[in-house]
Amino acid sequence: MKPVIIQCQHLNHVYSGKAALSDLSFELESGEPIGLVGPNGAGKTTLLSILSGFLRPTSGAVRLFGYPPGATQLIGKVSALPQDARLDPSFTIIEQLVFFGRLQGLTTQQANLEANRVLEAVALKESGHEKPLVLSHGMGKRVAIAQALIGKPALVLLDEPTAGLDPVNVRTVRSIIAEQSSGTTFIISSHDLTELDRLCQQILLLEKGVMQSEKIRVKDQQAATRFITLQMEACPALEVMAKFQVLKGVLHVTNPQKNEFIVEYSSDTPVKMDLQLMQCINDNHWHYRQLSHGKTLEEKLFF
Amino acid sequence: MRPGFFNHLLLISQFELKRAFATPRGLLSMLTFAVVWYFILLYPLRFTADLLVEEKGVIKGFSFFDFIGFHSLQNWTIPEFAVFWHFALILFPLLSIMLAADQTCSDRERGTLRFILLRTSRDCLFFGRFTGMMLIQTLLISAAAFGTLALVLYRDTALFSPALSNLSAVTVNLVLAILPFTAMMAVLSARVKSARQATTWAVLIWTFLAGIISILAYYLPAFSVLKYLVPGYQLSDLAQLSEWRTLQLAHIPLLQSLILLAFGRWIMARQPL
């Protein structure tokens, strides 16, 4: 059994009379990255701020590795990328990262090495002697991620790590998380469900300050029915649905968006469903763009 | 190994010293300070000190400084330090209100404090920034006092020993005098959004608190004890004292600072960051 890293019990937070978090109780174990999703105003940033110790909950108990957020025992063990936080414009990036390392208990020499290591991890080693104001938004975000990696913490809370980034930077951030996730548990709050789908094995859904009762497993191998999501080139939707529906083992076919089909089938079907679908597409001279097992995270969470 | 409270305090205050003395913005402030004190030392301080030296024993029974209400200037062994003391008692508290206004507010608004708070406690941050600001001001007071010492030695090198004693007395007392001002700015900075707001609030609180307490004390003398709450309340009395006798009132700024720092710590612990 993996160790529990976060425990929340009856957590509530109220902003000027409005409940931002309502009676949240959950436990999280260390391991693969965990996604935190929910619409705007759902309470994701509030929850991460409480876990990081930036905000005191109105009521309820929170423990990270058995200690309350902000406890000195968590220094170097828990780190975070706070949303929209910026570094001090008066100092160079390397000076600030070294300072953070020193606060975490590293010697000046160790802190220098560590600052260079994390900057290299985010591909910004050459910008270390620049001041934060000269960095672009994407570079600033990567530096903020770099500070979260100082000292190889066991838990990193990332609030919107890819918000406002171009595709190249998004890919860089994704690879940083993938590379570091062997020794670090990441909790990632994001609106980018495709991103979370790729990175996370477990998703927490927050809606109006309430945590949905069950954590969603991204890969559900044990379920009685399975799904295949098909992205097609332009095609006759009604005909496609009708042809798919008569395939052996298919239970239900839906067309949630233009040229996108979700095929629900029985998991004990003896034939390979993906091969059956390919054969059907080929026989009808249609063309497909993408076939993926399971439903998209968006479908799982919101539909 | 995880650093302890005092280690963090030291690291944070060192970083503040670096901000004041090793960044372009900090250096510009220091240059302004140096220019202002250069002119104070060169003209008003030197001329007044010369006048005090010349006046001693010239006209028996009459003194220009008695006439203008600055009798206490004559109680100092070294006239330059007497004049320095009067200038410094006004300038350094004012400087403190401006210099110490941004202990945490702009970093909190920018989110920079969050990066630091992931690695230290709120107490370390609050007291570390306060200590850093006190160290910066102590260095500035010492620099101005050493400038005065240089002026004394330029006039008469034989005065080195009494001048050094005067220098120590004014430095210690000025550091004590600015303690509650810096603590007041630490409290305000923990609460407001910008240095400008902190300075505005400091001036308003200072003026209105002093005014209200004076009015209350006029009608009900028992309220006069509340004057102890106003930072700098003792400054006018302090100006009448000379050399080490100035320590007679040291308990007032110390008590005020303790109360203000305890209040600031309470705010900092509850403030969302």
Side-chain angles (χ1 to χ4, degrees):
Chain A
M1 194 180 153
K2 289 174 182 171
V4 173
I5 51 172
I6 297 177
Q7 286 174 301
C8 287
Q9 286 177 326
H10 306 294
L11 192 63
N12 288 284
H13 192 75
V14 178
Y15 278 120
S16 355
K18 188 174 173 275
L21 296 177
S22 297
D23 201 31
L24 248 59
S25 294
F26 64 92
E27 282 190 354
L28 295 176
E29 294 168 352
S30 65
E32 292 293 314
I34 299 162
L36 179 62
V37 294
N40 289 330
K44 302 185 297 293
T45 297
T46 305
L47 177 61
L48 290 186
S49 296
I50 289 173
L51 293 176
S52 307
F54 306 146
L55 200 61
R56 286 157 60 96
T58 308
S59 65
V62 187
R63 288 282 181 277
L64 285 87
F65 298 97
Y67 298 101
T72 49
Q73 289 87 346
L74 298 176
I75 293 173
K77 209 167 184 180
V78 177
S79 196
L81 163 73
Q83 194 182 21
D84 299 330
R86 285 169 290 143
L87 289 172
D88 193 327
S90 307
F91 296 95
T92 64
I93 290 155
I94 197 91
E95 279 174 322
Q96 296 187 65
L97 296 184
V98 169
F99 173 56
F100 297 155
R102 296 279 287 125
L103 287 175
Q104 282 182 217
L106 304 177
T107 63
T108 309
Q109 197 185 3
Q110 287 170 335
N112 262 307
L113 288 171
E114 189 61 4
N116 281 302
R117 181 189 73 82
V118 294
L119 281 176
E120 201 168 357
V122 297
L124 279 175
K125 197 173 177 185
E126 70 289 352
S127 304
H129 293 281
E130 303 280 6
K131 290 200 173 159
L133 284 179
V134 305
L135 300 182
S136 67
H137 176 73
M139 290 162 93
K141 198 87 164 185
R142 275 150 61 199
V143 170
I145 292 173
Q147 66 76 36
L149 303 175
I150 294 174
K152 298 180 182 164
L155 172 66
V156 177
L157 309 162
L158 301 174
D159 197 357
E160 303 277 5
T162 54
L165 296 188
D166 60 45
V168 178
N169 279 317
V170 168
R171 181 173 278 210
T172 310
V173 171
R174 196 193 307 145
S175 20
I176 293 164
I177 295 169
E179 279 165 23
Q180 310 279 329
S181 61
S182 56
T184 301
T185 304
F186 287 90
I187 296 186
I188 308 159
S189 149
S190 179
H191 287 293
D192 189 342
L193 299 179
T194 320
E195 201 58 50
L196 294 180
D197 217 352
R198 288 182 179 182
L199 284 168
C200 306
Q201 298 301 308
Q202 191 181 330
I203 302 290
L204 300 174
L205 175 61
L206 256 182
E207 270 182 318
K208 292 179 183 169
V210 180
M211 184 78 76
Q212 296 312 299
S213 54
E214 284 184 29
K215 294 170 212 163
I216 295 156
R217 289 267 158 204
V218 172
K219 284 176 186 149
D220 233 342
Q221 303 292 344
Q222 309 301 321
T225 61
R226 289 185 188 169
F227 297 88
I228 284 180
T229 304
L230 256 169
Q231 300 278 345
M232 300 287 288
E233 296 284 351
C235 63
L238 290 174
E239 195 185 334
V240 170
M241 286 174 76
K243 291 268 170 79
F244 285 172
Q245 189 67 66
V246 295
L247 295 175
K248 193 176 178 185
V250 169
L251 302 172
H252 192 54
V253 181
T254 54
N255 178 210
Q257 293 184 74
K258 192 180 178 192
N259 298 331
E260 185 182 295
F261 300 89
I262 297 172
V263 180
E264 184 181 0
Y265 64 100
S266 172
S267 55
D268 51 15
T269 308
V271 288
K272 290 265 187 190
M273 185 52 68
D274 46 1
L275 295 180
Q276 267 202 100
L277 288 169
M278 294 286 212
Q279 190 62 55
C280 177
I281 290 167
N282 189 46
D283 293 347
N284 290 283
H285 307 291
W286 299 325
H287 299 282
Y288 78 97
R289 277 187 187 168
Q290 191 181 330
L291 180 148
S292 52
H293 286 276
K295 286 207 273 189
T296 60
L297 194 54
E298 185 182 283
E299 285 290 329
K300 278 186 190 173
L301 293 174
F302 301 112
F303 300 101
Chain B
M1 198 180 125
R2 199 180 304 117
F5 180 86
F6 289 104
N7 203 329
H8 270 174
L9 205 72
L10 191 69
L11 285 167
I12 293 168
S13 49
Q14 270 176 355
F15 206 66
E16 291 311 295
L17 282 172
K18 200 173 173 183
R19 187 194 303 279
F21 297 108
T23 61
R25 198 175 161 192
L27 285 173
L28 194 68
S29 305
M30 293 307 127
L31 183 70
T32 313
F33 174 85
V35 169
V36 168
W37 269 97
Y38 172 76
F39 283 109
I40 290 173
L41 290 173
L42 199 63
Y43 298 110
L45 200 142
R46 193 161 61 99
F47 288 150
T48 318
D50 284 349
L51 202 62
L52 272 164
V53 172
E54 283 166 19
E55 198 187 52
K56 273 187 180 170
V58 172
I59 309 167
K60 294 281 180 199
F62 175 78
S63 164
F64 169 71
F65 294 99
D66 281 349
F67 181 68
I68 60 165
F70 279 87
H71 167 76
S72 60
L73 286 173
Q74 292 164 317
N75 298 334
W76 290 73
T77 325
I78 311 289
E80 281 84 353
F81 276 106
V83 184
F84 172 82
W85 177 238
H86 281 75
F87 267 108
L89 273 181
I90 298 166
L91 290 179
F92 280 107
L94 285 176
L95 180 75
S96 185
I97 287 177
M98 289 184 282
L99 201 69
D102 196 8
Q103 288 179 55
T104 50
C105 51
S106 63
D107 274 0
R108 191 180 63 248
E109 287 304 301
R110 202 190 302 115
T112 311
L113 284 192
R114 295 180 166 199
F115 294 126
I116 301 169
L117 270 176
L118 289 166
R119 296 155 174 107
T120 190
S121 67
R122 291 182 183 223
D123 279 354
C124 285
L125 178 65
F126 179 74
F127 290 111
R129 289 278 171 107
F130 172 78
T131 310
M133 204 43 74
M134 281 308 300
L135 286 174
I136 293 165
Q137 292 178 97
T138 304
L139 288 173
L140 294 180
I141 289 169
S142 306
F146 273 103
T148 311
L149 178 70
L151 212 62
V152 174
L153 297 180
Y154 179 72
R155 179 167 63 84
D156 187 352
T157 47
L159 293 171
F160 180 72
S161 180
L164 204 61
S165 168
N166 275 202
L167 179 141
S168 312
V170 292
T171 307
V172 169
N173 275 287
L174 282 171
V175 170
L176 287 171
I178 57 154
L179 259 175
F181 288 94
T182 313
M184 177 173 73
M185 297 320 288
V187 174
L188 288 169
S189 191
R191 195 73 192 90
V192 301
K193 290 187 174 181
S194 68
R196 186 178 288 182
Q197 274 188 18
T199 310
T200 310
W201 274 107
V203 173
L204 288 175
I205 289 170
W206 203 29
T207 316
F208 283 101
L209 195 64
I212 289 165
I213 292 170
S214 296
I215 293 166
L216 282 173
Y218 179 77
Y219 291 106
L220 290 162
F223 279 110
S224 61
V225 73
L226 292 176
K227 284 180 181 172
Y228 282 100
L229 290 175
V230 184
Y233 147 74
Q234 84 289 5
L235 291 183
S236 53
D237 294 335
L238 209 52
Q240 303 308 313
L241 300 173
S242 58
E243 299 174 2
W244 288 108
R245 281 182 291 276
T246 45
L247 277 180
Q248 285 170 20
L249 300 173
H251 64 284
I252 299 173
L254 284 173
L255 276 172
Q256 287 175 337
S257 307
L258 281 176
I259 294 167
L260 284 164
L261 288 175
F263 185 48
R265 181 182 178 265
W266 182 83
I267 291 176
M268 195 69 178
R270 279 149 189 81
Q271 183 79 344
L273 296 167

